[in-house]
Amino acid sequence: MTRWVALLIALCVSIVPLRARALTVVATTPDLAALSKAVGRGHVKVTALGLHTQDPHWVDPRPHLALDLARADLLLVTGADLETSWLPTLQVGSRNREIQIGGRGFLDCSSLVELRNVPTGKVDRAQGDVHPTGDPHYMLDPRSVERVAVGIAKRMAALDPPRKAEYLENTRVFLQELRKARKRWEERLKAARGAEIISYHASLTYLADWLGVRVVETVEPRPGIPPNPRHVAHVVEVARAHKVRVILQESWYPTTTSRLIAKKAAASLVQIPGMPNFPASQSYIAFMNDIVERVAKAL
């Protein structure tokens, strides 16, 4: 009899309704993880596959990441081919049907925004790390993040209907906080509008558009291609001609060449965090505040 009671308890535990436990969310990048935590709050358990110190193009697909995906109810991806080099292997290894492309537990967040820099002609490797469907770095624009937050909330609600009202309320509160912060940021950088900058990688298009600054050149001659002496000389000429004051780049890119260009062009090299420090519980708003402050002090 005791054996049958134990079996019945085990069965009940295995079929416990989703609302009785936290929704398990896995995000490919820390920015999506921070956003999903704001939307889900205490009703979600969130993991980020990539670290805030890693270029999200090149995350090491280690086996334990496949285990995280195996337990996931929802997989959030940046999309636009950002994770193409490493995520498919982990998805297959997870053996979780729900988080495969087309599954109800899979959300490509690039489908929620209007992507920029979509190539119009043929794309090949000679052009460097060009994304055929558009620029995937939209999370550096808080206007895009609003759309992503709403999309995540709707998918969480679809997977966990009993908590729909809570997800939507969490999102309303987050958007209110984000809009207040955005107003403060835009005022902080009002004087910088119209400034021209140089970036290392072609990844600051959305940030620049939001802030009203213009990227006149990149340290890389083509996305993902290391700079050669000829291109470095060209970038120095451009920086001088445009009186560029700032070379702006994410912290995971090398600084040697950027420092050389900055020195020759009498500019400043400003490193910004590429992702929120999710392991340290940094929020998306705190992450963007850090970026804005660094840019404001330089410009």
Side-chain angles (χ1 to χ4, degrees), residues 8-228:
L8 181 60
I9 292 173
L11 180 62
C12 290
V13 169
S14 68
I15 62 173
V16 64
L18 187 59
R19 66 178 180 276
R21 64 175 176 86
L23 194 70
T24 302
V25 179
V26 174
T28 54
T29 53
D31 49 8
L32 288 177
L35 191 57
S36 60
K37 189 173 181 180
V39 171
R41 293 186 181 266
H43 300 309
V44 296
K45 178 183 178 183
V46 184
T47 301
L49 297 179
L51 299 174
H52 63 288
T53 54
Q54 288 178 306
D55 181 344
H57 294 87
W58 311 110
V59 173
D60 184 9
R62 291 169 293 177
H64 79 272
L65 300 181
L67 291 177
D68 289 334
L69 289 177
R71 306 183 187 101
D73 298 308
L74 174 61
L75 169 61
L76 301 173
V77 306
T78 302
D81 299 304
L82 182 72
E83 303 97 343
T84 299
S85 69
W86 57 273
L87 182 61
T89 299
L90 295 175
Q91 286 177 282
V92 172
S94 74
R95 299 186 178 184
N96 183 345
R97 294 174 58 186
E98 296 300 315
I99 56 92
Q100 307 302 319
I101 295 176
R104 65 194 299 264
F106 176 87
L107 179 58
D108 180 346
C109 294
S110 70
S111 66
L112 304 171
V113 302
E114 184 176 346
L115 294 176
R116 304 176 65 89
N117 298 337
V118 180
T120 55
K122 181 181 178 181
V123 175
D124 57 46
R125 295 308 301 173
Q127 297 169 283
D129 186 22
V130 175
H131 299 275
T133 58
D135 188 339
H137 304 285
Y138 53 84
M139 290 293 287
L140 288 174
D141 184 343
R143 298 170 300 185
S144 295
V145 168
E146 287 196 20
R147 296 185 180 185
V148 177
V150 172
I152 291 174
K154 289 180 177 178
R155 184 58 62 90
M156 285 182 179
L159 293 172
D160 188 9
R163 294 181 178 136
K164 177 179 179 179
E166 292 164 271
Y167 294 132
L168 297 182
E169 174 60 16
N170 292 343
T171 304
R172 185 194 67 79
V173 172
F174 170 75
L175 293 183
Q176 186 178 53
E177 294 173 351
L178 180 62
R179 287 166 185 165
K180 286 181 180 178
R182 179 182 153 195
K183 184 177 181 181
R184 184 175 69 251
W185 297 331
E186 290 172 354
E187 182 63 29
R188 180 82 169 91
L189 286 168
K190 186 177 180 180
R193 297 190 71 83
E196 295 179 317
I197 66 171
I198 288 172
S199 67
Y200 185 89
H201 182 74
S203 53
L204 302 181
T205 302
Y206 296 92
L207 179 68
D209 179 73
W210 167 52
L211 295 179
V213 302
R214 189 164 76 93
V215 179
V216 295
E217 190 53 273
T218 58
V219 176
E220 293 178 331
R222 292 184 296 279
I225 305 299
N228 55 50

